[in-house]
Amino acid sequence: MTKLAALSGVSVEAERKILDDIEDQFRLEEDALIEITKQFLEDFRAGLGEYNHPMAMIPTFVTGVPDGTETGRVCEVTLLGNHEFSMKQQKYKVSEALKTGEASVLFDYLADSVDAFLTEHSSVGSPISPSHDVANPFDTISAPAVPLGLTFSFPVEQTALNQGKILTWTKGFSAKNAVGNDVVGLLQDAFNRKHLHVRCVALVNDTVGTLLSRAYSAGSCLLGGIFGTGTNGAYVEKVDNITKLGDSQARKEGGLMIINTEWGAFNNTRTRLPTTPYDNKLDRESINPRYQAFEKFISGMYLGEITRNILLALIDAAPKPLLFGGKASAPLNTHYGIDTAIMSEVEEAWESGRNTEIKANGQTNWQSAHFTDVEALGPQDHARLERIRGILVQRLLLDPEDVSLRDAATVRWAASLVANRAARLSGTALAAVLVQTGHAELGGGTPEPKGNIIIGVDGSLIQHYPNFQARLRSSLRSLVGEPVEKRVEIDLAKDGSGAGAALCALQAVKQGL
């Protein structure tokens, strides 16, 4: 990878050249971001016009967005009618065997988990599935069966509010004999096998749930985005623009409909995405090579692995190693051995107490000297690097003697490179939605909107990773201009999957399902 084996002697200047070359591969200037956003818009329009595109642009048949006045009981969610709700829920872990085994066994487990929840909670009609939240929109025991809404966080070709064919698995799932089948039917069959008095009335993607949940809390919402283990987005589109619906009743009725973009599969051909050798290695060794390209650049499941690939290249550099004296460890030698949480810890240790400014290119003003010039740093920065050194020794199981302060600075640099690129690429997805829906022009020039543009988000990166949202906003600002960017309100959606499933089930009841 890069020019790591072409040096002899390896002077300080040569080492810096190697590291600078790596940094150049991860740099995203404004013109590159604009080209990526243009491709996003092309793929949006292609997916709205035809089926069977990688970025599927799935019609959800959810045509109503809550405004916060709705009331009722959903699952253990209580809609209070004043833009607020309360929730009780139980989560159940899905094992690796269930993720990769027979689909019938996986869905039997989901049904058993619903049964366990109903048994434990005596109130009728408050089921929650293990990894996919469910919801009951009725507050009565007279219903013939417990209505249930299912949040299913995988690509589905949805043909009705309560029907959808699984297109592919993502995020480490690969259950057999599921792709091509109706996910609602698979779950309902499991309920029937178990003789459970439960009826699945609504199918909702977690991004749609995020949008609905934020709309309930804020009174409106344009986009729901997930930036966590995986990534995806759903937004409100004009039905007239969804030309692949043809002469269907939904198209004739017009109005608005939520579209599940499945933007994790954006640019699977990688003609626009800034691929590096470290990304190529990750993709080649993944369970789905050449798929979910965008997700592999920006989601929490993969950022740690990209960082690990960079660190291994520096450890293995010849004739002289550039990290940890050439010594690795079990986590460093293990596929996915570095979790994104470790990157977050490292960056938090560095940023703690620092007044950080995000520059136009997404970089920070953390120091004027080159990051390898540790001797030029002050005592506070040395203390920060000592904290990072401690994290590396503990989390990567390294010998303290093999980890220098320069090593700590190098790891922080690598983590920041990967996370900064992820956040800036995330900004292109948001910009594409703003342009597609007429809220902005690419490159700026749109007057400041009169009201705020509401975006609901969820996921560990957007919630917890240091400066992720600030870096994303820097990218968005360069793409749509400051007048629009400053009116974009990005807030966490309170339990988007659970409350969103509840609100979608409520919508299903309103639509007579």
Side-chain angles (χ1 to χ4, degrees):
M1 293 186 182
T2 68
K3 303 171 184 177
L4 295 179
L7 300 174
S8 59
V10 193
S11 64
V12 171
E13 290 73 21
E15 289 183 21
R16 287 187 175 181
K17 172 106 176 31
I18 291 172
L19 298 172
D20 287 343
D21 285 346
I22 294 174
E23 186 163 321
D24 284 342
Q25 294 180 56
F26 282 84
R27 183 173 290 114
L28 274 173
E29 301 295 351
E30 184 176 331
D31 57 346
L33 293 174
I34 288 175
E35 292 304 312
I36 291 167
T37 308
K38 286 180 180 178
Q39 187 65 54
F40 246 117
L41 290 165
E42 288 183 22
D43 288 9
F44 273 9
R45 290 156 192 163
L48 291 171
E50 295 177 331
Y51 289 97
N52 300 318
H53 282 270
M55 198 159 70
M57 304 297 287
I58 300 166
T60 66
F61 299 89
V62 178
T63 55
V65 176
D67 61 12
T69 63
E70 295 81 357
T71 62
R73 286 194 64 78
V74 275
C75 194
E76 283 296 315
V77 178
T78 302
L79 299 181
L80 303 176
N82 58 351
H83 302 283
E84 296 182 356
F85 58 84
S86 62
M87 170 177 279
K88 293 181 181 179
Q89 65 177 318
Q90 178 68 44
K91 295 186 178 181
Y92 300 82
K93 185 175 178 61
V94 180
S95 68
E96 291 300 317
L98 288 170
K99 290 180 181 180
T100 58
E102 282 292 328
S104 59
V105 178
L106 173 62
F107 282 90
D108 277 347
Y109 175 76
L110 301 185
D112 286 339
S113 300
V114 170
D115 187 21
F117 184 90
L118 285 168
T119 301
E120 182 178 351
H121 297 267
S122 59
S123 60
V124 173
S126 55
I128 293 182
S129 79
S131 62
H132 310 298
D133 298 291
V134 293
N136 168 30
F138 294 118
D139 193 20
T140 175
I141 61 172
S142 61
V146 176
L148 174 147
L150 170 66
T151 298
F152 193 71
S153 309
F154 303 94
V156 170
E157 184 180 306
Q158 198 156 350
T159 52
L161 190 52
N162 61 350
Q163 190 175 55
K165 181 174 66 175
I166 301 174
L167 295 175
T168 185
W169 288 112
T170 60
K171 292 175 282 194
F173 280 73
S174 59
K176 303 174 182 65
N177 300 313
V179 173
N181 291 313
D182 175 22
V183 62
V184 174
L186 290 171
L187 183 58
Q188 192 62 55
D189 287 347
F191 287 147
N192 296 342
R193 284 194 297 272
K194 304 289 182 179
H195 304 290
L196 294 180
H197 207 45
V198 177
R199 181 170 59 92
C200 190
V201 299
L203 171 65
V204 58
N205 183 271
D206 57 350
T207 54
V208 178
T210 297
L211 189 157
L212 294 173
S213 174
R214 185 64 192 142
Y216 183 82
S217 300
S220 69
C221 187
L222 174 68
L223 166 68
I226 303 293
F227 300 97
T229 304
T231 187
N232 192 13
Y235 74 99
V236 181
E237 177 63 272
K238 293 178 181 177
V239 173
D240 284 348
N241 291 336
I242 315 172
T243 56
K244 66 183 177 184
L245 290 177
D247 295 328
S248 67
Q249 186 60 36
R251 185 92 189 284
K252 292 175 182 176
E253 291 175 358
L256 302 172
M257 183 183 292
I258 297 176
I259 291 290
N260 167 20
T261 66
E262 290 298 336
W263 70 34
F266 165 65
N267 200 217
N268 278 346
T269 57
R270 300 183 181 229
T271 55
R272 292 292 184 194
L273 291 171
T275 300
T276 71
Y278 315 102
D279 300 293
N280 290 337
K281 181 176 184 291
L282 179 146
D283 182 56
R284 185 175 63 253
E285 296 174 347
S286 70
I287 64 172
N288 57 346
R290 312 307 298 173
Y291 289 94
Q292 295 298 107
F294 192 62
E295 184 166 82
K296 288 172 180 173
F297 280 82
I298 74 171
S299 71
M301 181 172 180
Y302 301 105
L303 300 189
E305 182 66 3
I306 299 170
T307 302
R308 187 182 76 94
N309 288 340
I310 296 173
L311 301 186
L312 285 178
L314 299 177
I315 290 170
D316 293 338
K320 177 184 175 183
L322 302 181
L323 189 67
F324 303 144
K327 297 179 182 178
S329 63
L332 282 164
N333 288 329
T334 301
H335 197 207
Y336 292 97
I338 295 182
D339 190 271
T340 304
I342 298 176
M343 298 170 58
S344 183
E345 282 186 50
V346 166
E347 292 226 63
E348 179 64 34
W350 180 257
E351 297 293 344
S352 180
R354 181 183 298 281
N355 183 19
T356 300
E357 175 189 351
I358 305 297
K359 299 180 181 179
N361 64 358
Q363 300 291 336
T364 62
N365 63 336
W366 69 276
Q367 68 181 71
S368 56
H370 195 279
F371 75 91
T372 58
D373 192 6
V374 173
E375 292 77 10
L377 300 178
Q380 289 184 333
D381 285 335
H382 279 175
R384 292 183 175 97
L385 291 179
E386 283 289 3
R387 288 197 293 271
I388 293 173
R389 182 173 173 273
I391 292 169
L392 300 180
V393 168
Q394 180 182 15
R395 299 296 297 273
L396 300 186
L397 306 181
L398 290 160
D399 190 319
E401 294 182 357
D402 296 328
V403 185
S404 67
L405 291 188
R406 184 183 179 282
D407 291 335
T410 301
V411 174
R412 187 221 62 86
W413 161 83
S416 184
L417 278 186
V418 174
N420 182 59
R421 186 186 66 171
R424 289 177 67 71
L425 285 173
S426 299
T428 66
L430 269 60
V433 170
L434 292 175
V435 174
Q436 172 67 20
T437 55
H439 289 84
E441 294 179 8
L442 187 56
T446 306
E448 182 178 335
K450 292 182 180 179
N452 286 349
I453 303 168
I454 307 298
I455 292 178
V457 293
D458 199 3
S460 54
L461 282 177
I462 199 78
Q463 287 189 59
H464 303 303
Y465 201 97
N467 290 321
F468 190 88
Q469 185 173 154
R471 290 160 163 170
L472 184 156
R473 278 193 171 276
S474 171
S475 170
L476 185 64
R477 187 161 52 251
S478 68
L479 290 167
V480 301
E482 185 177 358
V484 173
E485 180 272 329
K486 70 181 183 181
R487 298 310 297 265
V488 174
E489 183 180 316
I490 302 176
D491 287 305
L492 292 176
K494 183 182 176 184
D495 200 342
S497 293
L503 290 160
C504 197
L506 182 61
Q507 181 67 23
V509 173
K510 288 181 178 179
Q511 294 177 206
L513 297 178

